[in-house]
Amino acid sequence: MCLAVPGRVLQIEERDGTRMAAVDFGGVVKEVCLEYLPDLRVGEYAIVHVGFALQRLDEESAKQTLELFAELGMLQEEFGDAWEMAAAEAGVAPVEEVGNQ
């Protein structure tokens, strides 16, 4: 599933003519394109979908949404390690644990 997730802008830079940001999604930091929100600033929150900041969001709404997503396990689903999740679904121990048994 692909979600639109709120995140907080940590740092902004221009890269090859494109405004990019490091965005924190409840502890997971990803690179995000800010071209749709050219006036977004460090410390502000935005809704992000497939690597693009789409809409500014107030801090309270962002925190409530991130808490709800975390409770439902949706942040892990969206940002977790794909190999680890596939192993868990298959009932197989992750690779690091296989060698330790």
Side-chain angles (χ1 to χ4, degrees), residues 14-15 17-20 32-39 52-53:
E14 189 166 317
R15 198 172 317 137
T18 303
R19 237 174 138 238
M20 298 295 292
V32 171
C33 179
L34 300 182
E35 289 299 303
Y36 295 133
L37 295 174
D39 60 339
F52 290 86

Side-chain angles (χ1 to χ4, degrees), residues 1-70:
M1 178 190 320
C2 225
L3 299 172
V5 181
R8 182 175 181 266
V9 176
L10 301 176
Q11 177 182 346
I12 297 173
E13 66 180 49
E14 189 166 317
R15 198 172 317 137
D16 297 323
T18 303
R19 237 174 138 238
M20 298 295 292
V23 177
D24 179 8
F25 300 96
V28 176
V29 177
K30 298 282 186 177
E31 291 295 312
V32 171
C33 179
L34 300 182
E35 289 299 303
Y36 295 133
L37 295 174
D39 60 339
L40 197 64
R41 296 185 185 133
V42 170
E44 291 186 310
Y45 288 81
I47 298 286
V48 177
H49 181 62
V50 292
F52 290 86
L54 300 176
Q55 180 179 346
R56 183 177 275 104
L57 187 64
D58 66 276
E59 183 176 2
E60 181 65 27
S61 296
K63 287 183 177 181
Q64 287 176 352
T65 303
L66 285 169
E67 286 174 18
L68 179 60
F69 283 2

